[in-house]
Amino acid sequence: AKAELRAAQEERGNAKAELEAAETQTEDASAMLRAAQADQDYWQQEIARMKRLLEAGAVTQEEFQREKAQARNADEKVNQAQARLAQVKAQIRAAQSAVRKADAMLESARFKI
């Protein structure tokens, strides 16, 4: 029973460490998303400006298309950052589940002592 208790304590320690690691990744993933969204906002404004310039004949279709490619790239970076944040949140939920499981194992082991 004591060995089971030590194993449960170790399991909980590992689960808590995984949870803390996942939680620290949340801020990084959120910051990446905010930066990607700011870049996306810039490119949306830039495309609107370039469209007006294109309509006025001040830029070529090729220049406009290059800018649109940059805007699509910014959109993709937002999608990637959103996916990363979702992945981190899933890791947090899994780590929280592991902590709860370890807590249950600890309670069971303590009951046996």
Side-chain angles (χ1 to χ4, degrees):
K2 288 183 180 183
E4 190 176 322
L5 179 62
R6 282 191 300 277
Q9 288 169 331
E10 185 176 326
E11 183 72 26
R12 187 177 195 287
N14 291 340
K16 282 295 278 185
E18 288 176 22
L19 177 59
E20 289 170 9
E23 286 172 341
T24 61
Q25 292 177 24
T26 301
E27 185 54 39
D28 290 341
S30 294
M32 287 177 55
L33 178 57
R34 286 189 303 272
Q37 288 170 329
D39 193 43
Q40 182 185 47
D41 289 345
Y42 167 80
W43 283 107
Q44 287 173 349
Q45 293 172 14
E46 182 66 9
I47 291 301
R49 185 183 77 82
M50 287 296 286
K51 186 174 182 181
R52 290 189 302 274
L53 291 173
L54 178 65
E55 291 168 353
V59 297
T60 66
Q61 182 69 32
E62 182 179 304
E63 290 170 313
F64 180 68
Q65 291 301 321
R66 276 197 303 265
E67 296 292 294
K68 281 182 73 173
Q70 292 287 351
R72 285 190 300 272
N73 186 41
D75 291 341
E76 184 56 33
K77 286 181 181 179
V78 168
N79 292 338
Q80 290 171 354
Q82 288 171 332
R84 175 67 181 136
L85 185 56
Q87 179 184 31
V88 168
K89 287 180 179 181
Q91 289 173 334
I92 288 172
R93 287 189 302 275
Q96 288 169 334
S97 178
V99 169
R100 286 190 301 273
K101 179 183 174 188
D103 285 343
M105 290 171 56
L106 269 171
E107 186 64 28
S108 175
R110 285 183 184 132
F111 183 73
K112 293 177 183 177
I113 292 179

